[in-house]
Amino acid sequence: MPTELTAEQAAARLQATDTLGIPLGPGQPPAFLRALGERADWTDLRVYGALLAVITELFTRKGVHYLSGFYGPLDRAVRDGGGDVEFVPADFRRFGPLLQRQSPRVMTTVTAAPDADGWCSLSLHAGGTVDELRRAGADPDRLLIVEASDAFPRTYGMGDHRHALHVDEIDILVRSSEAPLALPGGDTPPSDVDRAIAKNAVAYMPSGVTLQTGIGSIPNQIATLLAEGDGGDFGLHSEMFTDGCMRLHRAGKIANAHKGQFDGVSVTTFAFGSAELYDWLDGNREVAFLPVEVVNAPEVIADNHRMVTINGALGIDIHGQVVADTIDGGQFSGIGGAEDFVAGAGLELSDRSLICLPSTYMKDGELRSRIVPWFGPGAVITTPRHHVDVIVTEHGTAELEGLTVRERGEALAAIADPQFREGLLEAAARAAKGRSPVPDRTILL
């Protein structure tokens, strides 16, 4: 049986020089991380995590070094406020192997309260930490600290993936009533551009397809159109379960009848959304939480019936290269699972991968195109050109697979803002027969 301690007592079990592994986002233990933030005696605490979802002083403390695999708003705030945070480039599916290599002395997570048999549901996050949590609990030289909250929903896995820890595996148990961080429920009206992009995207989603979608105004509007439309009989196989996914379930649009390996359930590896979503997930066996190495495996994604994946981007060049996680070379978010779902959908001709983005943005009062002839120095590519299938903007869609660079440039120019099309077409013409789209190639490395 575990030792039951308060959050403050559990925080005192870490040494001033130590290593700590935390899950992504909604798997992070709120009371325990805040208690760690009350300590100011750190000499060298290295914390491995991603997508902070707990407001705590920990990451502003001197002697605390945070290595993040995905920046969210709180990660960026820590960085911009002078905290010692660095980005670790890795897609979500590699988080597990990386954590095993790092082998933090202390592992932690939040769970639902133990059931009558001693099982603690891993609640909103399976992700890439499940195996390392168990390894830490089984190792006498390591420590597994679990915050069990009666405010977190009880969710379930499937088959060999139970999605729970037993109290006998846990070293220290912290009981709490802390609720998960709730995101806005999607009541913000979509813009005209969002509506137009969503309308163009849903043309690729006839009845019976299996969907992967993420968070944001465009996926939210896509879910709204599908929920209100005539189609249905959809499947869901998505890294992240959102309010939009819940809306599709409630509208009776999800059947999960033609998926392949996981018929009968919607599959995800973590959920992040509103308090309403968390209440809906509590005790709901329509959704199965599985480890990310299963959910995001390209061959598993491709095994789904007529998979359609939906992801976003910040920019694209006429080669089809996609920048999705940096702005002007600076880290904004992370790779996550986008590349897995783009690549997975590319293994079957019947599958489609959609990358959605507005055609323009404003910077310093100037309208700029997100579709560019080429990226400038310092650009960091998220998705390589040979994986990209369909690009969607408010002006239409460009299907890039099988096209030459010149043809790609012409197709992308057609869905760019009209005032930028001429420059894109000129670059596309220069790129004919495998040449560079850049006028003077001597400026390239």
Side-chain angles (χ1 to χ4, degrees):
M1 293 293 292
T3 301
E4 292 200 24
L5 300 177
T6 66
E8 292 73 22
Q9 290 170 334
R13 291 297 186 93
L14 271 74
Q15 302 160 7
T17 296
D18 218 332
T19 51
L20 172 67
I22 64 176
L24 172 144
Q28 295 162 6
F32 178 60
L33 288 182
R34 280 200 292 272
L36 288 174
E38 294 173 3
R39 287 182 54 176
D41 61 337
W42 304 111
T43 303
D44 183 11
L45 175 67
R46 296 177 67 83
V47 183
Y48 304 97
L51 186 61
L52 290 180
V54 176
I55 297 174
T56 170
E57 294 297 316
L58 176 64
F59 303 105
T60 67
R61 297 294 189 187
K62 184 178 180 181
V64 175
H65 316 287
Y66 172 45
L67 292 88
S68 174
F70 194 102
Y71 281 13
L74 294 181
D75 305 68
R76 294 193 295 271
V78 170
R79 175 196 62 188
D80 297 343
D84 187 355
V85 53
E86 293 191 65
F87 181 67
V88 181
D91 54 37
F92 197 2
R93 196 158 45 100
R94 287 176 172 81
F95 281 13
L98 283 176
L99 199 56
Q100 183 177 5
R101 175 179 293 176
Q102 292 152 349
S103 189
R105 188 186 76 88
V106 182
M107 286 293 300
T108 188
T109 190
V110 66
T111 69
D115 66 15
D117 296 318
W119 288 100
C120 303
S121 166
L122 287 166
S123 192
L124 298 173
H125 180 270
T129 53
V130 177
D131 289 343
E132 200 61 25
L133 291 168
R134 292 199 167 99
R135 277 191 286 265
D139 188 336
D141 295 324
R142 300 174 69 187
L143 201 59
L144 174 57
I145 300 176
V146 171
E147 178 177 338
S149 172
D150 54 20
F152 271 69
R154 180 170 283 108
T155 59
Y156 305 95
M158 187 178 186
D160 296 334
H161 305 288
R162 180 152 192 166
H163 189 57
L165 294 172
H166 196 271
V167 290
D168 290 342
E169 301 178 83
I170 298 168
D171 295 312
I172 294 174
L173 184 69
V174 176
R175 294 187 184 269
S176 84
S177 295
E178 296 282 345
L181 177 67
L183 304 179
D187 294 329
T188 304
S191 67
D192 291 341
V193 170
D194 293 340
R195 291 191 185 95
I197 293 172
K199 184 178 179 181
N200 291 332
V202 297
Y204 289 85
M205 303 170 200
S207 294
V209 300
T210 303
L211 301 170
Q212 173 263 328
T213 185
I215 197 167
S217 57
I218 293 172
N220 181 63
Q221 183 62 16
I222 289 172
T224 298
L225 291 178
L226 292 175
E228 296 174 350
D230 295 330
D233 195 27
F234 298 122
L236 268 177
H237 182 107
S238 190
E239 168 187 290
M240 179 176 175
F241 201 92
T242 65
D243 282 70
C245 298
M246 174 183 68
R247 193 175 303 121
L248 288 170
H249 268 273
R250 284 180 163 173
K253 301 295 184 178
I254 303 299
N256 288 315
H258 318 290
K259 294 175 63 182
Q261 296 186 39
F262 301 108
D263 281 356
V265 294
S266 291
V267 168
T268 190
T269 195
F270 77 102
F272 213 1
S274 66
E276 181 183 7
L277 171 65
Y278 302 151
D279 288 341
W280 182 82
L281 285 169
D282 188 34
N284 192 335
R285 291 188 178 272
E286 295 179 46
V287 183
F289 285 74
L290 305 177
V292 69
E293 63 266 21
V294 177
V295 177
N296 286 30
E299 64 274 13
V300 175
I301 295 167
D303 194 45
N304 285 299
H305 176 69
R306 296 181 66 189
M307 189 79 203
V308 179
T309 69
I310 308 158
N311 288 287
L314 297 170
I316 183 169
D317 71 1
I318 67 166
H319 279 275
Q321 298 183 109
V322 173
V323 169
D325 66 304
T326 60
I327 297 176
D328 294 332
Q331 198 62 44
F332 179 76
S333 55
I335 295 96
E339 174 60 14
D340 292 329
F341 280 91
V342 170
L347 297 177
E348 297 284 346
L349 288 177
S350 61
D351 297 343
R352 304 311 299 260
S353 166
L354 312 183
I355 295 177
C356 304
L357 71 166
S359 65
T360 60
Y361 68 104
M362 295 294 297
K363 183 173 183 180
D364 300 328
E366 178 185 358
L367 186 70
R368 301 191 180 189
S369 179
R370 292 189 183 276
I371 303 175
V372 297
W374 58 86
F375 288 122
V380 182
I381 303 303
T382 309
T383 303
R385 57 186 177 174
H386 57 282
H387 283 179
V388 175
D389 182 12
V390 184
I391 302 297
V392 185
T393 75
E394 70 272 28
H395 298 292
T397 61
E399 300 188 10
L400 302 188
E401 277 196 338
L403 300 186
T404 66
V405 177
R406 175 184 58 78
E407 291 168 337
R408 286 173 172 232
E410 292 171 347
L412 289 166
I415 64 168
D417 186 273
Q419 66 179 291
F420 299 105
R421 290 176 183 172
E422 183 177 351
L424 292 167
L425 289 171
E426 290 173 354
R430 288 193 294 270
K433 299 182 180 179
R435 293 189 288 263
S436 170
V438 185
D440 183 359
R441 295 190 63 199
T442 61
I443 69 171
L444 296 179
L445 296 178

